[in-house]
Amino acid sequence: MILLLGFSVFGSDEPLVAALGEDIILPCNVDTPVPLEELELEWIKKDTSSLVHLSIAGEDQPESQHKSYRNRTQIFHENLLIGDYSLKLKKTEVQDEGKYRCVVHSRTQSEEVVVELKSVERLFVTGTNGPLFVYAGGEIVLNCFVDTHIPIEKLEVQWVKTEDGSETLVHLFVEGEDQPESQNQLYKGRTELSNESLADGNFSLKLKSVGIKDKGIYKCKVHTNTESAETTIELDVGVDCLSGCETACQLLRLSPDLLSYVHFQVLHAPCIGLFKMLHHHSRLTRYSGSCGIDEVMDSLILIDEGAGNVINLYF
């Protein structure tokens, strides 16, 4: 009579890390191999109790495993006789993270070990589809969502504005903290991340006191020690004339060059006339008239010095 000695099962002392989409081996070995005709081997996802892989007497039982693992698992049949019951998990997914039980049965004994797949390495950055629009003077949130296994303390997140092949640093987040001293002077005091949402991977940027010059292309660029990813957002800025012609007067005070950026949807009748006039007289350099936050513009005199024309506009 052959006396079968008891066996012990052992796996990995350290949690495992897999690269997204790559294969990984979950180790499981015994010190005394179980005769193949007696062997029943189960791999089970501990948190969901899903059957990942089942082998009975050296034969796989694919009809028994959970559908999310179909065609993604493999044991090494040639190694079963030496007590190697490791599992190859193919094309790893984020949902594969967790603890796995390797359960080994013989006719007289059952033993198991737990192997942890701590994380699946990944870096996904997503934003907003299509351009965003905001009126000058308002504020807007530029979306940036990060899905990664890396703790936020080890991420570097850059918000930049791109123009003519160059980049302006709008906001910088490094080692778990904002770095306001690094951002361009134009954005000082005007940008903000939501600290409450960072742990969830929300690195969306609030841009305040938006000006016409903020119009353009923005990038949320995320860096780890080994890889980088980014998303691009287009921002369009317009002038709100719903309150009257005050905004137009303020634009004229600032710079006539800004007028080419004006966008409007619904305007009061006086503003419609004003913007039509400005559209056809791009060389206007001086103006006189009465306007202000609480004032009503009674008249506006526009002078096109290039053509020598004086245009009186009455409201």
Side-chain angles (χ1 to χ4, degrees), residues 259 270-284 300 302 304 310-313:
L259 297 175
C271 282
I272 292 176
L274 172 65
F275 279 100
K276 284 183 177 179
M277 191 65 65
L278 294 176
H279 178 72
H280 293 290
H281 293 273
S282 59
R283 291 176 294 181
L284 294 170
L300 182 65
L302 304 175
D304 181 350
V310 177
I311 304 163
N312 293 281
L313 206 60

Side-chain angles (χ1 to χ4, degrees), residues 163-182:
E163 186 173 4
D164 297 329
S166 63
E167 294 184 343
T168 300
L169 185 59
V170 177
H171 195 98
L172 180 62
F173 179 90
V174 179
E175 296 180 348
E177 295 183 353
D178 296 319
Q179 310 293 324
E181 69 281 356
S182 300

Side-chain angles (χ1 to χ4, degrees), residues 41 56 63-64 86 95 172 182 191 251 281 301 312:
L41 173 63
I56 299 176
E63 70 282 355
S64 301
S86 301
Q95 295 82 357
L172 180 62
S182 300
T191 61
L251 276 173
H281 293 273
I301 300 174
N312 293 281

Side-chain angles (χ1 to χ4, degrees), residues 107-218:
R107 289 175 183 165
T108 59
Q109 185 179 355
S110 294
E111 300 290 343
E112 69 176 72
V113 69
V114 175
V115 179
E116 182 180 4
L117 179 55
K118 184 176 182 180
S119 59
V120 176
E121 293 181 341
R122 64 196 182 277
L123 180 60
F124 295 125
V125 180
T126 56
T128 301
N129 294 326
L132 299 177
F133 178 86
V134 63
Y135 287 114
E139 61 183 39
I140 186 120
V141 175
L142 309 179
N143 288 328
C144 179
F145 304 103
V146 181
D147 179 16
T148 181
H149 66 291
I150 301 291
I152 63 172
E153 295 81 8
K154 296 184 179 180
L155 293 177
E156 178 178 327
V157 180
Q158 297 176 334
W159 274 98
V160 299
K161 184 173 185 284
T162 65
E163 186 173 4
D164 297 329
S166 63
E167 294 184 343
T168 300
L169 185 59
V170 177
H171 195 98
L172 180 62
F173 179 90
V174 179
E175 296 180 348
E177 295 183 353
D178 296 319
Q179 310 293 324
E181 69 281 356
S182 300
Q183 68 184 156
N184 188 279
Q185 190 67 33
L186 293 173
Y187 298 96
K188 296 286 186 182
R190 295 204 296 127
T191 61
E192 178 183 311
L193 298 178
S194 176
N195 292 328
E196 297 79 11
S197 302
L198 295 179
D200 297 325
N202 186 353
F203 285 87
S204 299
L205 182 76
K206 178 184 286 187
L207 181 59
K208 297 177 282 188
S209 301
V210 176
I212 297 296
K213 291 185 177 181
D214 291 328
K215 175 182 177 179
I217 303 297
Y218 292 79

Side-chain angles (χ1 to χ4, degrees), residues 22-173:
E22 299 296 324
D23 301 347
I24 189 169
I25 294 177
L26 308 181
C28 179
N29 295 269
V30 295
D31 51 3
T32 303
V34 176
L36 195 59
E37 64 274 13
E38 294 187 22
L39 176 63
E40 181 177 334
L41 173 63
E42 294 179 289
W43 276 96
I44 302 169
K45 184 81 179 296
K46 189 174 182 181
D47 57 346
T48 61
S49 298
S50 300
L51 183 60
V52 178
H53 194 98
L54 175 63
S55 174
I56 299 176
E59 296 292 333
D60 295 329
Q61 311 294 319
E63 70 282 355
S64 301
Q65 69 182 156
H66 191 274
K67 62 181 180 180
S68 62
Y69 297 100
R70 296 271 169 85
N71 302 315
R72 293 206 300 126
T73 61
Q74 175 189 339
I75 61 172
F76 303 92
H77 294 90
E78 66 276 13
N79 293 339
L80 295 179
L81 293 177
I82 61 173
D84 182 359
Y85 305 145
S86 301
L87 179 78
K88 177 187 280 190
L89 183 58
K90 304 175 184 178
K91 299 179 180 178
T92 52
E93 304 172 355
V94 175
Q95 295 82 357
D96 292 333
E97 292 178 345
K99 295 181 178 180
Y100 293 79
R101 298 168 56 210
C102 174
V103 187
V104 182
H105 306 276
S106 71
R107 289 175 183 165
T108 59
Q109 185 179 355
S110 294
E111 300 290 343
E112 69 176 72
V113 69
V114 175
V115 179
E116 182 180 4
L117 179 55
K118 184 176 182 180
S119 59
V120 176
E121 293 181 341
R122 64 196 182 277
L123 180 60
F124 295 125
V125 180
T126 56
T128 301
N129 294 326
L132 299 177
F133 178 86
V134 63
Y135 287 114
E139 61 183 39
I140 186 120
V141 175
L142 309 179
N143 288 328
C144 179
F145 304 103
V146 181
D147 179 16
T148 181
H149 66 291
I150 301 291
I152 63 172
E153 295 81 8
K154 296 184 179 180
L155 293 177
E156 178 178 327
V157 180
Q158 297 176 334
W159 274 98
V160 299
K161 184 173 185 284
T162 65
E163 186 173 4
D164 297 329
S166 63
E167 294 184 343
T168 300
L169 185 59
V170 177
H171 195 98
L172 180 62
F173 179 90

